[in-house]
Amino acid sequence: MKLLYKIVFAVLTLLVVLYYSSFYVLPSITIVNSSAVGVDQAEIDLPASHLDFGSIASGSGNALHHSLTQPKDGVYRYTIKFTDAVETHGSCGYVTDNEFNKRVVIFIKSDHQVSCEQR
């Protein structure tokens, strides 16, 4: 019975390590709202998928991970709807297949200005 507990503990530990290491491997997109206006809805379209960040308060951010497998190459296309009824569209960066640990950060600055940075 003691051996069974050790095996179950080892398997559970392995699963937890694999789960948290996937966050290191998977590419992510982060939106940081540094403006004085809140974001009502933020969405990013990849060539083969769609990410919905929801609302982002002023002074905060949100990050989402996406799949390593991207069947098509292309740019990140964003749509940001602010709480003051202004909507911003644009594109930045480039996404391809198997980009391990790629980090893209989209900064929202004052006056609804958006900039992107790849880390």
Side-chain angles (χ1 to χ4, degrees), residues 8 48 63 66 68 90 99 106 111:
V8 169
H66 62 86
L68 277 171
E99 294 182 303
I106 297 176
D111 297 331

Side-chain angles (χ1 to χ4, degrees), residues 16-98:
V16 168
V17 168
L18 288 174
Y19 175 74
Y20 283 106
S21 65
S22 71
F23 290 115
Y24 177 76
V25 173
L26 291 175
S28 72
I29 302 173
T30 303
I31 297 179
V32 177
N33 184 5
S34 300
S35 72
V37 179
V39 172
D40 205 22
Q41 183 70 30
E43 299 176 351
I44 296 182
D45 288 315
L46 280 66
S49 62
H50 177 81
L51 300 174
D52 187 346
F53 288 80
S55 62
I56 303 171
S58 176
S60 64
N62 191 4
L64 293 177
H65 291 77
H66 62 86
S67 174
L68 277 171
T69 56
Q70 296 295 319
K72 295 187 257 179
D73 293 357
V75 296
Y76 300 97
R77 297 194 184 282
Y78 58 83
T79 302
I80 300 171
K81 299 174 185 173
F82 295 92
T83 55
D84 62 356
V86 175
E87 188 169 313
T88 302
H89 301 274
S91 63
C92 65
Y94 197 78
V95 61
T96 61
D97 199 28
N98 293 325

Side-chain angles (χ1 to χ4, degrees), residues 97-116:
D97 199 28
N98 293 325
E99 294 182 303
F100 294 96
N101 196 31
K102 180 178 181 181
R103 303 292 182 244
V104 173
V105 181
I106 297 176
F107 295 99
I108 302 170
K109 300 175 182 172
S110 60
D111 297 331
H112 307 101
Q113 297 297 316
V114 177
S115 66
C116 301

